[in-house]
């Protein structure tokens, strides 16, 4: 069973689903989720609605929750809301938090390419490309007025009204009704009221503006048309480069309450197709992807403030895996990104949190033709193996000095098969998108093998050894994409601004052998763990 949540600023919808069949729904008052207090308040309201729903349907274990929340525009706000939601359930559960506007893009009935506009208290737009790439525009209504939102309608009206006051051309009847609407006697006090009001409070006056327009007020009608055009700007921003046949879908309180406004937005957009859909269904679909056995194109990303925090988050996942697995099978890489991770692993071993005595450790990759003291195995020995109180139950490594690398990879492949494959894989991303030594061109069918290294990869590999002399290795041995993808859990680790572009392409671009990391990052069992620098190019795109 899945729980889908559409948490808007004005109202929260909670639905319980069996797969994509809605079993029950509740609606409660909304909250703009932008800090811990608002996240906990929203979670409290969701808790009540969820309890009522679960009591009214056949009691089955909830496998995953997806909440789309207004105001979730940073990893900090998402993590706070995620933690609050996890407290709702007595058992461990997958909880995914996304910006609420993404839900319609996933829940729309039409196939991509599609642009979903969520027009409510605030507004946001999400596009889904033919290659299932997700992009976002707008959606900062808790900071500034969003284009085409209910808040925007009111502010557009008041701006136009202020201009008529400036030139003494304001309609006395409009001024009188506006003062009454805001509970003041002087028109200038209306603007003072707005300055101190929240976006939700401002948006609550939108029906009044539409009522004025229906009565023939030109200022109100012009403001509404201006706001509709601003909503279309979001659509046009995303439509660039998407080609022809882009569908449009609308959701949100304003779009539902004012169908003529929604029709105007659709007409102005010039979209060739219009799609219907339900954000709550989108939440259920995303929850399904997060459930055991689920699969989908959206990536799960965990962003931490710095490499040290990344390392601790990775080790926390590793500890949890080892605690629940009698015979852990752990794939370990090398590289600069892993140094803080190994430091955190050593600390966890010293404290007793992490024990590898029952584990089989599997080396991810190795250079061919280098002496042992210049090998990746030597790094693993120095960074982690020498610090264990007791040796691991098993150790599967490559021999860098082998004269028959093909036989060596066959040996490693056989040993991995004997233990049932990889359990948890820790991997990094190379500057060219390689995972392990799976260079560009490696597809999902590749297994343990010998590979020819690109010049940049060979240069990076030898840079780990200050005393490396001689010819750089041209060949490497590596686990294949197929081996890594078969892992129960995959942690893709990247830190630093230099990785931001390849990370964004891997998470948001098309899945392709030309970028091997893209074939790993969006697997259902993968979590990409980034610091803020590596995640910097992702800002403004989907966070799953």
């Amino acid at each position: 069973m899945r729980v889908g949540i559409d948490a808007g600023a004005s109202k929260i919808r909670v639905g319980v689903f069996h797969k994509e069949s809605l079993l029950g729904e509740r609606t409660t008052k909304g909250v703009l989720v932008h800090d811990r207090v608002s996240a906990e308040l929203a979670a409290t309201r969701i808790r009540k609605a969820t309890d009522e729903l679960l009591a009214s349907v056949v009691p089955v274990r909830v496998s995953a929750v997806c909440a789309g929340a207004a105001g979730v525009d940073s990893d900090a706000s998402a993590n706070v809301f995620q933690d609050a939601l996890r407290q709702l359930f007595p058992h461990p559960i997958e909880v995914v938090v996304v910006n609420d506007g993404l839900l319609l893009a996933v829940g729309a009935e039409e196939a991509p390419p599609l642009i979903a506009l969520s027009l409510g208290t605030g507004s946001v737009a999400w596009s889904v490309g033919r290659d299932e790439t997700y992009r976002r525009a707008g959606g900062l209504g808790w900071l500034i007025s969003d284009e085409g939102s209910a808040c925007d309608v009111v502010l557009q009206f008041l701006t136009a009204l202020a201009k008529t006051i400036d030139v003494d051309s304001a309609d006395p009847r409009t001024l009188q009704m506006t003062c009454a609407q805001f509970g003041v006697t002087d028109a200038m006090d209306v603007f003072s009221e707005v300055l101190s009001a929240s976006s939700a409070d401002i948006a609550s006056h939108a029906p009044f503006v539409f009522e004025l327009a229906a009565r023939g007020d030109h200022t109100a009608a012009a403001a509404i048309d201006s706001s509709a055009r601003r909503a279309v700007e979001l659509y046009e921003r995303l439509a660039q480069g998407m080609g022809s046949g882009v569908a449009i879908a609308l959701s949100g309180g304003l779009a539902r309450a004012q169908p003529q406004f929604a029709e105007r937005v659709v007409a102005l957009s010039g979209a060739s197709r219009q799609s219907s859909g339900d954000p709550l269904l989108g939440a259920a679909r995303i929850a399904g992807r997060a459930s055991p056995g689920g699969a989908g194109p959206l990536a799960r990303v965990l962003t931490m403030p710095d490499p040290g925090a990344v390392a601790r988050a990775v080790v926390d996942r590793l500890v949890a895996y080892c605690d629940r697995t009698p015979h852990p099978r752990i794939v370990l890489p090398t590289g600069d990104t892993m140094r803080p991770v190994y430091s955190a692993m050593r600390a966890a071993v010293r404290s007793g949190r992490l024990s590898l005595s029952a584990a089989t450790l599997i080396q991810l990759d190795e250079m061919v033709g280098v002496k042992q003291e210049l090998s990746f195995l030597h790094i693993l020995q120095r960074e982690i193996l020498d610090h264990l109180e007791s040796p691991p139950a098993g150790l599967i490594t490559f021999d860098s000095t082998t004269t028959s690398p093909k036989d060596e990879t066959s040996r490693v492949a056989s040993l991995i098969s004997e233990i049932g494959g990889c359990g948890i894989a820790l991997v990094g991303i190379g500057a060219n998108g390689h995972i392990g030594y799976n260079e560009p061109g490696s597809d999902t069918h590749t297994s343990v093998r010998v590979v020819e290294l690109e010049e940049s990869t060979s240069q990076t590999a030898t840079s780990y050894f200050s005393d490396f002399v001689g010819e750089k290795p041209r060949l490497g041995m590596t686990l294949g994409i197929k081996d890594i993808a078969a892992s129960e859990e995959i942690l893709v680790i990247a830190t630093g601004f230099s990785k931001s572009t390849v990370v964004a392409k891997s998470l948001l671009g098309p899945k392709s052998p030309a970028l091997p990391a893209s074939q790993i990052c969006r697997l259902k069992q993968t979590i990409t763990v980034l610091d803020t620098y590596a995640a910097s190019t992702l800002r403004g795109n989907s966070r799953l």
Side-chain angles (χ1 to χ4, degrees), residues 50-78:
T50 304
D51 286 347
E52 291 174 356
L53 278 172
L54 294 178
S56 66
V57 300
V58 179
V60 240
R61 186 183 178 96
V62 174
S63 60
V65 174
C66 172
V72 171
D73 297 297
S74 68
D75 296 299
S77 57

mmCIF file of all heavy atoms in Angstrom, residues 50-78:
data_model
loop_
_atom_site.group_PDB
_atom_site.id
_atom_site.type_symbol
_atom_site.label_atom_id
_atom_site.label_comp_id
_atom_site.label_asym_id
_atom_site.label_seq_id
_atom_site.Cartn_x
_atom_site.Cartn_y
_atom_site.Cartn_z
ATOM 1 N N THR A 50 -4.094 10.723 7.774
ATOM 2 C CA THR A 50 -3.620 9.384 7.446
ATOM 3 C C THR A 50 -4.205 8.342 8.379
ATOM 4 O O THR A 50 -4.623 7.257 7.955
ATOM 5 C CB THR A 50 -2.079 9.331 7.493
ATOM 6 O OG1 THR A 50 -1.545 10.328 6.620
ATOM 7 C CG2 THR A 50 -1.562 7.970 7.065
ATOM 8 N N ASP A 51 -4.238 8.652 9.669
ATOM 9 C CA ASP A 51 -4.821 7.724 10.644
ATOM 10 C C ASP A 51 -6.280 7.425 10.311
ATOM 11 O O ASP A 51 -6.738 6.283 10.386
ATOM 12 C CB ASP A 51 -4.720 8.297 12.063
ATOM 13 C CG ASP A 51 -3.300 8.239 12.606
ATOM 14 O OD1 ASP A 51 -2.468 7.536 11.995
ATOM 15 O OD2 ASP A 51 -3.027 8.891 13.631
ATOM 16 N N GLU A 52 -7.033 8.463 9.947
ATOM 17 C CA GLU A 52 -8.437 8.270 9.589
ATOM 18 C C GLU A 52 -8.563 7.386 8.352
ATOM 19 O O GLU A 52 -9.425 6.503 8.284
ATOM 20 C CB GLU A 52 -9.102 9.626 9.325
ATOM 21 C CG GLU A 52 -9.264 10.491 10.574
ATOM 22 C CD GLU A 52 -9.790 11.879 10.235
ATOM 23 O OE1 GLU A 52 -9.950 12.179 9.025
ATOM 24 O OE2 GLU A 52 -10.034 12.662 11.162
ATOM 25 N N LEU A 53 -7.684 7.618 7.387
ATOM 26 C CA LEU A 53 -7.742 6.836 6.153
ATOM 27 C C LEU A 53 -7.389 5.373 6.398
ATOM 28 O O LEU A 53 -8.094 4.466 5.939
ATOM 29 C CB LEU A 53 -6.779 7.422 5.124
ATOM 30 C CG LEU A 53 -7.280 8.610 4.323
ATOM 31 C CD1 LEU A 53 -6.145 9.197 3.503
ATOM 32 C CD2 LEU A 53 -8.414 8.199 3.414
ATOM 33 N N LEU A 54 -6.300 5.141 7.116
ATOM 34 C CA LEU A 54 -5.857 3.775 7.346
ATOM 35 C C LEU A 54 -6.866 2.997 8.185
ATOM 36 O O LEU A 54 -6.982 1.778 8.069
ATOM 37 C CB LEU A 54 -4.487 3.758 8.016
ATOM 38 C CG LEU A 54 -3.335 4.303 7.149
ATOM 39 C CD1 LEU A 54 -2.031 4.293 7.934
ATOM 40 C CD2 LEU A 54 -3.183 3.495 5.877
ATOM 41 N N ALA A 55 -7.619 3.704 9.023
ATOM 42 C CA ALA A 55 -8.647 3.045 9.828
ATOM 43 C C ALA A 55 -9.857 2.657 8.988
ATOM 44 O O ALA A 55 -10.628 1.774 9.362
ATOM 45 C CB ALA A 55 -9.086 3.959 10.972
ATOM 46 N N SER A 56 -10.022 3.317 7.835
ATOM 47 C CA SER A 56 -11.212 3.091 7.012
ATOM 48 C C SER A 56 -10.985 2.093 5.894
ATOM 49 O O SER A 56 -11.918 1.725 5.188
ATOM 50 C CB SER A 56 -11.685 4.418 6.403
ATOM 51 O OG SER A 56 -10.731 4.913 5.474
ATOM 52 N N VAL A 57 -9.728 1.653 5.681
ATOM 53 C CA VAL A 57 -9.436 0.681 4.630
ATOM 54 C C VAL A 57 -8.895 -0.588 5.270
ATOM 55 O O VAL A 57 -8.595 -0.627 6.458
ATOM 56 C CB VAL A 57 -8.420 1.230 3.610
ATOM 57 C CG1 VAL A 57 -8.960 2.475 2.944
ATOM 58 C CG2 VAL A 57 -7.087 1.532 4.278
ATOM 59 N N VAL A 58 -8.805 -1.648 4.449
ATOM 60 C CA VAL A 58 -8.270 -2.901 4.956
ATOM 61 C C VAL A 58 -6.857 -2.670 5.484
ATOM 62 O O VAL A 58 -6.010 -2.139 4.772
ATOM 63 C CB VAL A 58 -8.224 -3.957 3.830
ATOM 64 C CG1 VAL A 58 -7.637 -5.260 4.347
ATOM 65 C CG2 VAL A 58 -9.614 -4.188 3.275
ATOM 66 N N PRO A 59 -6.596 -3.019 6.739
ATOM 67 C CA PRO A 59 -5.282 -2.710 7.317
ATOM 68 C C PRO A 59 -4.155 -3.530 6.681
ATOM 69 O O PRO A 59 -4.059 -4.724 6.848
ATOM 70 C CB PRO A 59 -5.462 -3.078 8.805
ATOM 71 C CG PRO A 59 -6.577 -4.067 8.817
ATOM 72 C CD PRO A 59 -7.471 -3.713 7.678
ATOM 73 N N VAL A 60 -3.341 -2.850 5.895
ATOM 74 C CA VAL A 60 -2.152 -3.471 5.323
ATOM 75 C C VAL A 60 -0.968 -2.562 5.570
ATOM 76 O O VAL A 60 -1.129 -1.373 5.748
ATOM 77 C CB VAL A 60 -2.258 -3.686 3.798
ATOM 78 C CG1 VAL A 60 -2.144 -5.126 3.440
ATOM 79 C CG2 VAL A 60 -3.403 -3.016 3.199
ATOM 80 N N ARG A 61 0.188 -3.142 5.540
ATOM 81 C CA ARG A 61 1.401 -2.373 5.814
ATOM 82 C C ARG A 61 1.667 -1.374 4.685
ATOM 83 O O ARG A 61 1.669 -1.733 3.514
ATOM 84 C CB ARG A 61 2.580 -3.331 5.941
ATOM 85 C CG ARG A 61 3.897 -2.688 6.361
ATOM 86 C CD ARG A 61 4.971 -3.770 6.370
ATOM 87 N NE ARG A 61 6.274 -3.227 6.718
ATOM 88 C CZ ARG A 61 6.799 -3.238 7.923
ATOM 89 N NH1 ARG A 61 6.112 -3.747 8.918
ATOM 90 N NH2 ARG A 61 8.006 -2.754 8.146
ATOM 91 N N VAL A 62 1.920 -0.131 5.049
ATOM 92 C CA VAL A 62 2.275 0.897 4.079
ATOM 93 C C VAL A 62 3.737 0.689 3.683
ATOM 94 O O VAL A 62 4.611 0.598 4.538
ATOM 95 C CB VAL A 62 2.068 2.310 4.658
ATOM 96 C CG1 VAL A 62 2.584 3.364 3.688
ATOM 97 C CG2 VAL A 62 0.591 2.542 4.960
ATOM 98 N N SER A 63 3.998 0.625 2.360
ATOM 99 C CA SER A 63 5.354 0.342 1.894
ATOM 100 C C SER A 63 6.143 1.605 1.584
ATOM 101 O O SER A 63 7.371 1.620 1.693
ATOM 102 C CB SER A 63 5.312 -0.537 0.641
ATOM 103 O OG SER A 63 4.599 0.119 -0.398
ATOM 104 N N ALA A 64 5.443 2.684 1.180
ATOM 105 C CA ALA A 64 6.159 3.902 0.805
ATOM 106 C C ALA A 64 5.213 5.091 0.821
ATOM 107 O O ALA A 64 4.000 4.950 0.654
ATOM 108 C CB ALA A 64 6.791 3.766 -0.581
ATOM 109 N N VAL A 65 5.795 6.256 1.049
ATOM 110 C CA VAL A 65 5.038 7.513 1.083
ATOM 111 C C VAL A 65 5.730 8.509 0.167
ATOM 112 O O VAL A 65 6.960 8.611 0.163
ATOM 113 C CB VAL A 65 4.989 8.089 2.517
ATOM 114 C CG1 VAL A 65 4.329 9.462 2.518
ATOM 115 C CG2 VAL A 65 4.245 7.151 3.454
ATOM 116 N N CYS A 66 4.940 9.232 -0.618
ATOM 117 C CA CYS A 66 5.481 10.365 -1.371
ATOM 118 C C CYS A 66 4.658 11.592 -1.014
ATOM 119 O O CYS A 66 3.426 11.569 -1.075
ATOM 120 C CB CYS A 66 5.429 10.135 -2.870
ATOM 121 S SG CYS A 66 5.894 11.625 -3.811
ATOM 122 N N ALA A 67 5.341 12.656 -0.643
ATOM 123 C CA ALA A 67 4.678 13.917 -0.337
ATOM 124 C C ALA A 67 5.227 15.000 -1.236
ATOM 125 O O ALA A 67 6.436 15.227 -1.285
ATOM 126 C CB ALA A 67 4.894 14.298 1.132
ATOM 127 N N GLY A 68 4.336 15.642 -1.967
ATOM 128 C CA GLY A 68 4.697 16.834 -2.714
ATOM 129 C C GLY A 68 4.297 18.027 -1.880
ATOM 130 O O GLY A 68 3.129 18.153 -1.483
ATOM 131 N N ALA A 69 5.238 18.889 -1.548
ATOM 132 C CA ALA A 69 4.964 19.950 -0.580
ATOM 133 C C ALA A 69 5.306 21.316 -1.139
ATOM 134 O O ALA A 69 6.389 21.518 -1.698
ATOM 135 C CB ALA A 69 5.751 19.712 0.708
ATOM 136 N N ALA A 70 4.370 22.244 -0.980
ATOM 137 C CA ALA A 70 4.632 23.637 -1.345
ATOM 138 C C ALA A 70 5.689 24.202 -0.403
ATOM 139 O O ALA A 70 5.606 24.024 0.811
ATOM 140 C CB ALA A 70 3.344 24.447 -1.246
ATOM 141 N N GLY A 71 6.685 24.851 -0.967
ATOM 142 C CA GLY A 71 7.738 25.446 -0.153
ATOM 143 C C GLY A 71 8.984 24.601 -0.061
ATOM 144 O O GLY A 71 10.008 25.048 0.435
ATOM 145 N N VAL A 72 8.922 23.350 -0.548
ATOM 146 C CA VAL A 72 10.108 22.498 -0.524
ATOM 147 C C VAL A 72 10.982 22.868 -1.716
ATOM 148 O O VAL A 72 10.813 22.372 -2.814
ATOM 149 C CB VAL A 72 9.722 21.004 -0.566
ATOM 150 C CG1 VAL A 72 10.961 20.143 -0.771
ATOM 151 C CG2 VAL A 72 9.033 20.609 0.726
ATOM 152 N N ASP A 73 11.896 23.792 -1.480
ATOM 153 C CA ASP A 73 12.751 24.294 -2.546
ATOM 154 C C ASP A 73 14.219 24.115 -2.224
ATOM 155 O O ASP A 73 15.078 24.625 -2.915
ATOM 156 C CB ASP A 73 12.457 25.777 -2.801
ATOM 157 C CG ASP A 73 11.036 25.982 -3.285
ATOM 158 O OD1 ASP A 73 10.703 25.477 -4.363
ATOM 159 O OD2 ASP A 73 10.256 26.636 -2.569
ATOM 160 N N SER A 74 14.509 23.403 -1.156
ATOM 161 C CA SER A 74 15.900 23.130 -0.808
ATOM 162 C C SER A 74 15.963 21.765 -0.155
ATOM 163 O O SER A 74 14.957 21.226 0.310
ATOM 164 C CB SER A 74 16.429 24.180 0.183
ATOM 165 O OG SER A 74 15.791 24.041 1.439
ATOM 166 N N ASP A 75 17.158 21.191 -0.130
ATOM 167 C CA ASP A 75 17.318 19.893 0.509
ATOM 168 C C ASP A 75 17.054 19.981 2.008
ATOM 169 O O ASP A 75 16.556 19.039 2.606
ATOM 170 C CB ASP A 75 18.725 19.376 0.250
ATOM 171 C CG ASP A 75 18.952 19.120 -1.223
ATOM 172 O OD1 ASP A 75 18.236 18.282 -1.783
ATOM 173 O OD2 ASP A 75 19.815 19.778 -1.819
ATOM 174 N N ALA A 76 17.376 21.118 2.617
ATOM 175 C CA ALA A 76 17.156 21.259 4.055
ATOM 176 C C ALA A 76 15.676 21.148 4.385
ATOM 177 O O ALA A 76 15.279 20.412 5.295
ATOM 178 C CB ALA A 76 17.706 22.600 4.538
ATOM 179 N N SER A 77 14.823 21.878 3.649
ATOM 180 C CA SER A 77 13.386 21.826 3.938
ATOM 181 C C SER A 77 12.826 20.448 3.622
ATOM 182 O O SER A 77 11.954 19.941 4.333
ATOM 183 C CB SER A 77 12.641 22.908 3.145
ATOM 184 O OG SER A 77 12.871 22.780 1.753
ATOM 185 N N ALA A 78 13.324 19.816 2.549
ATOM 186 C CA ALA A 78 12.851 18.483 2.206
ATOM 187 C C ALA A 78 13.232 17.473 3.285
ATOM 188 O O ALA A 78 12.417 16.625 3.679
ATOM 189 C CB ALA A 78 13.421 18.049 0.855
#
